[in-house]
């Protein structure tokens, strides 16, 4: 099924069949018998032109003239592989995989991409997608987005002077959404890259790209924020630059520039309810992209450092901070440590709050993955944590990212504990039971680790989200391995006192739960 070519209609405010009527602001007063009406009053032009009301606005014409030739249009042709990967989707969908991402977060191709027919049956038709890229070397290396060229059979690069080149995909990284292409050429125009750490909210930013196939289109705005995370896609290693620069279909992969004409980012995504620009755009920082480029050039793949911790993705709450005796809610709260990982060998434990990495402050959990993930395995780092009210620093040597190990550590294991309760309700109103060796093996726990929850009688515990089948691993930082041990740890809990429980649920990973019992519990 071919995507219909959109029709663009210019609507005039007044059609040829209507006559514009100009009404005077004021007319002269005349008596009924005063003869011909007086001419309407008209404003008289001033002798001296008025001064402009707005001055000092930037003029981007020189910037565009100098850097525009290094911005290219990218056309990709896709066959059965890509269409089959999309499955049965409707022709108006904007990009592959968008059925898994909320409507408001979009990564855009250009017009013309064709989807397979209903049900995905039969041979998938060939389709085309369009994006933008830019030259980073005079011998033909081109930077763009991974999602622009993903699974493409053919990639064509068109220069601003309309020269066309067939491009080779040197390498592509889905995690960062960065791809490196190569065309044959020499003495080609090149864009300079900026110092990514110097990008600040409020500075001017310019985008050049091919929205809807309209190549060399220029838009401008300001940097709205830096270090934004993407909660809707697996791109936790990219601290996005947010701007209000107009970005639409076909802008993907194009440069985001500062007023010096240096690249500060690669335009990648927008936040939208409509599928079009709504004032919130996102770009991949250029320093993140160039780190990927260096590895793609050298090895064709990207290696990332791994610390080996699982932490809560949501910010520390006020109640959690009170339960752990923290001075504030900043940092990343560690819920699990991968066995034999860099963090485990260094001595980091569940309940630690990571506050800094190599001297960079960790204000929220999403700050940590980009710092660690953009370093190569073997890098030595200093990790600052808060533990029991004291600041501590651990020296770690990053291992290579193993997604499976972290996923296994953070995932729930099947098999909720069952059997008769072995302890009465405690101060939190939890009726608990000991776990058997078989249950611990099924849950991925060590010997003498964890206590099963059989029933939840306390109101505060229910409101905190605890339910039968959950397993309590720790009270605060103290591991518990039996119902009796849990009862001892909760023996002195008083009403109004916040208690932190590390809990593993059958339907999710481990998490710290803050519970503050009332006086009547």
């Amino acid at each position: 099924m071919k995507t219909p070519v959109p029709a663009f209609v210019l609507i005039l405010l007044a059609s040829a069949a209507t006559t514009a009527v100009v009404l005077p602001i004021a007319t002269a007063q005349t008596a009924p018998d005063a003869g011909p009406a007086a001419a309407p009053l008209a404003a008289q032009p001033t002798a001296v032109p008025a001064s402009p009301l707005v001055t000092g606005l930037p003029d981007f014409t020189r910037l565009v003239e100098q850097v525009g030739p290094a911005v290219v249009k990218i056309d990709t042709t896709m066959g059965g592989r890509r269409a089959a990967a999309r499955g049965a989707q409707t022709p108006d969908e904007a990009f592959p995989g968008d059925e898994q991402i909320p409507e408001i977060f979009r990564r855009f191709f250009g017009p013309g991409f064709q989807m397979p027919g209903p049900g995905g049956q039969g041979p998938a038709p060939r389709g085309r997608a369009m994006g933008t890229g830019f030259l980073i070397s005079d011998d033909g290396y081109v930077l763009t987005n991974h999602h622009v060229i993903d699974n493409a059979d053919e990639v064509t690069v068109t220069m601003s002077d309309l020269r066309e080149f067939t491009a080779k995909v040197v390498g592509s990284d889905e995690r960062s959404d960065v791809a490196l292409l190569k065309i044959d050429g020499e003495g080609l125009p090149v864009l300079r890259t900026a110092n990514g750490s110097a990008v600040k909210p409020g500075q001017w930013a310019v985008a050049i790209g091919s929205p809807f196939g309209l190549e060399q289109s220029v838009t401008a705005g300001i940097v709205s924020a830096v270090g934004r995370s993407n909660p809707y896609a697996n791109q936790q290693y990219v601290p996005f630059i947010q701007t209000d620069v107009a970005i639409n279909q076909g802008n993907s992969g194009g440069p985001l520039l500062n007023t010096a004409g240096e690249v500060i980012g690669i335009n990648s995504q927008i936040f939208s309810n409509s599928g079009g620009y709504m004032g919130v755009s996102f770009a991949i920082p250029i320093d993140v992209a160039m780190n990927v480029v260096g590895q793609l050039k050298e090895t064709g793949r990207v290696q990332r450092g791994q610390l080996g911790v699982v932490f809560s993705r949501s910010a520390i709450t006020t109640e959690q901070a009170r339960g752990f005796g923290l001075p504030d809610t900043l940092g990343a709260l560690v819920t699990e440590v991968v066995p034999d990982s860099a963090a485990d060998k260094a001595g980091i434990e569940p309940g630690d709050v990571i506050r800094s990495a190599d001297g960079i402050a960790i204000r929220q959990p999403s700050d940590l993955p980009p710092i660690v993930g953009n370093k190569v395995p073997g890098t030595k780092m200093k990790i600052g944590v808060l533990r029991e009210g004291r600041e501590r620093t651990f020296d770690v040597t990053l291992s290579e990212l193993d997604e499976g190990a972290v996923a296994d550590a953070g995932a729930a294991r099947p098999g909720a504990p069952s059997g008769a309760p072995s302890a009465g309700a405690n101060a939190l109103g939890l009726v608990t039971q000991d776990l058997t060796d078989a249950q611990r093996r099924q849950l991925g726990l060590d010997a003498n680790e964890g206590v099963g929850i059989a029933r939840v009688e306390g109101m505060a515990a229910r409101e905190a989200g605890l339910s039968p089948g959950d397993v309590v691993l720790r009270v605060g930082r103290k591991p518990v391995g039996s119902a009796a041990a849990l009862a001892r740890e909760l023996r002195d809990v008083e009403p109004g006192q916040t208690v932190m429980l590390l809990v593993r649920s059958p339907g999710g990973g481990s998490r710290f739960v803050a519970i503050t019992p009332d006086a009547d519990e």
Side-chain angles (χ1 to χ4, degrees), residues 89-234:
Q89 302 176 36
T90 58
D92 59 350
E93 288 181 307
F95 65 96
D98 60 359
E99 74 284 356
Q100 300 174 358
I101 298 179
E103 183 75 16
I104 53 179
F105 213 82
R106 293 274 183 180
R107 291 187 293 182
F108 274 139
F109 297 106
F113 187 79
Q114 297 179 358
M115 262 59 70
Q121 302 299 318
R126 295 180 66 83
R128 297 183 63 198
M130 187 181 300
T132 306
F134 56 95
L135 286 150
I136 58 172
S137 70
D138 61 3
D139 61 346
Y141 281 100
V142 177
L143 205 51
T144 188
N145 283 146
H146 163 83
H147 73 262
V148 170
I149 56 84
D150 185 26
N151 288 330
D153 296 325
E154 300 173 6
V155 180
T156 302
V157 168
T158 304
M159 303 285 291
S160 61
D161 59 8
L162 303 185
R163 284 182 294 166
E164 290 188 355
F165 297 85
T166 298
K168 172 188 175 183
V169 178
V170 176
S172 188
D173 178 50
E174 183 177 6
R175 289 286 189 184
S176 61
D177 196 22
V178 171
L180 182 64
L181 312 179
K182 180 67 170 66
I183 61 175
D184 292 330
E186 55 184 33
L188 299 172
V190 176
L191 291 186
R192 304 187 314 274
T193 58
N195 177 5
S197 62
V199 179
K200 304 294 182 185
Q203 74 177 66
W204 283 101
V206 180
I208 304 178
S210 303
F212 307 108
L214 303 171
E215 64 271 13
Q216 295 293 311
S217 294
V218 182
T219 54
I222 64 168
V223 173
S224 304
V226 296
R228 291 295 198 204
S229 61
N230 179 350
Y232 302 117
N234 195 6

Side-chain angles (χ1 to χ4, degrees), residues 393-444:
T393 301
F394 295 91
D395 294 319
V396 301
T397 301
L398 301 181
S399 57
E400 183 174 355
L401 178 64
D402 179 357
E403 297 286 0
V406 175
D408 289 344
R413 283 77 174 178
S418 59
S422 53
N426 46 50
L428 300 183
L430 300 177
V431 179
T432 59
Q433 63 188 54
D434 291 337
L435 300 177
T436 66
D437 292 340
Q439 287 173 332
R440 286 193 171 97
R441 285 194 298 271
Q442 192 175 18
L443 292 165

